Amino acid sequence: MQTIHPPEIQRMIDGLKDQDLYIHLEMTSGAYAAHRDASRHPAANFISNAVIRYASGSIQGSGPYRVGLKTEKGWIYTEGLTHYEETEKERLIMAGHDGEGKLVVALQLSREPF
Amino acid sequence: MERRVLVVLPHPDDEAFGISGTLSKYVQEGASVTYACLTLGEMGRNMGFPPFASRVTLPSIRKQELEASCAAIGIRDLRMLGFHDKTVEFDRERLDSCMEELLSELKPTLVITFYPGYSVHPDHDATGASVIESIRKLPEADRPLVYCVAFARGHEEAIGKPDVIHDVRPFVQQKIASITSHRSQFQAVVGEMKLSQQEAEERFGTERFWTYTFA
């Protein structure tokens, strides 16, 4: 994983628009959040391999970054992105890692299922 | 001496801190040890630091780490059952049938798993519950001994103190090798692993289990 370079992410977002895409979208505070600190709330969700299509999208912010994708009838939004997989040229693999390196959010788009 | 040991845990690395010393001991004593690992830890949050894994690459990385950990312990029979991390409790029918097949094939004398209800992660609790319920269905005379691992808040108030304490000091090097095999998970603590033999024995030399009693 490489720290996010916004122009490169924007090029990939533009290259994936107006087509059916598989999405993996996730956010988690970790299954052990409340075990380690009772004041914390264990919350997580992920949706994997739902099919979406967006007409426009962009990356915003100065890091951690936000991505918004405008779909036909709604929005997909992620905040907290820090890294992307630079070796992936067809798929957009992004994640947000905290100060300890733990994954907090993930947003992935691909023409093929994950 | 245990002859046939079946370990059932949901995530690669669940074996490392709590039971790898005990398993190394059983292997050295000549027991056949089977480790059924339900998932490839696909949804783990630790991805190395700085992160070297992504959601896409993590399963294959954790599979290699699991195989390295088993090699360090001496486990030759590793079964990867193909469940998906975080979904074990929602796949209970398939899980129960996997457990029943394993019990019927291996006829273990000892089974090690998580204590249902006292193991924090929903995958841990679901795994323990399926193992316990599958064993409960066996005729009483055929039921193996069951050792459980528990660590939820307040577990000792609910289920008492562990009744099985293993001295695994002679196996701390295998145990440390098991832990450090899981590089994507424990990279942050690997620095702490450069311990003297005496420090390692103090920190990792004891493993604790609860014998499950079928009321």
Side-chain angles (χ1 to χ4, degrees), chain A residues 25-86:
Chain A
L25 182 65
E26 171 183 357
M27 182 163 179
T28 177
S29 65
Y32 298 96
H35 177 64
R36 298 207 174 101
D37 175 357
S39 69
R40 292 193 62 200
H41 187 73
N45 55 47
F46 68 84
I47 182 165
S48 223
N49 289 329
V51 178
I52 62 115
R53 177 187 275 258
Y54 61 86
S56 70
S58 66
I59 181 162
Q60 302 287 343
S62 52
Y65 298 94
R66 303 176 296 279
V67 164
L69 305 172
K70 191 170 195 216
T71 62
E72 191 186 342
K73 291 180 180 171
W75 286 91
I76 290 157
Y77 171 82
T78 303
E79 180 171 12
L81 295 165
T82 55
H83 288 73
Y84 79 114
E85 184 54 66
E86 72 280 13

Side-chain angles (χ1 to χ4, degrees), chain A residues 6 8 10 15 20 23 27-28 30 37 39-40 75 83 87-89 95 98 100 106 110:
Chain A
E8 199 165 335
Q10 187 62 53
D20 284 347
I23 187 169
M27 182 163 179
T28 177
D37 175 357
S39 69
R40 292 193 62 200
W75 286 91
H83 288 73
T87 58
E88 295 276 351
K89 298 301 170 197
D98 68 14
E100 297 175 332
S110 170

Side-chain angles (χ1 to χ4, degrees), chain B residues 132-143:
Chain B
I132 296 295
E133 292 317 308
S134 302
I135 292 173
R136 194 191 299 279
K137 286 180 197 158
L138 299 173
E140 213 171 317
D142 295 346
R143 286 178 196 156

Side-chain angles (χ1 to χ4, degrees), chain B residues 165-183:
Chain B
I165 314 280
H166 283 170
D167 176 359
V168 298
R169 283 177 295 177
F171 302 95
V172 288
Q173 292 312 320
Q174 286 96 320
K175 183 167 181 169
I176 287 172
S178 163
I179 294 167
T180 53
S181 297
H182 296 286
R183 182 169 162 256

Side-chain angles (χ1 to χ4, degrees), chain B residues 81-100:
Chain B
L81 298 188
F83 288 79
H84 190 285
D85 197 2
K86 282 194 199 285
T87 70
V88 171
E89 62 188 324
F90 307 103
D91 217 351
R92 183 66 190 270
E93 205 172 314
R94 179 159 73 103
L95 180 57
D96 287 353
S97 86
C98 282
M99 292 308 108
E100 284 158 27

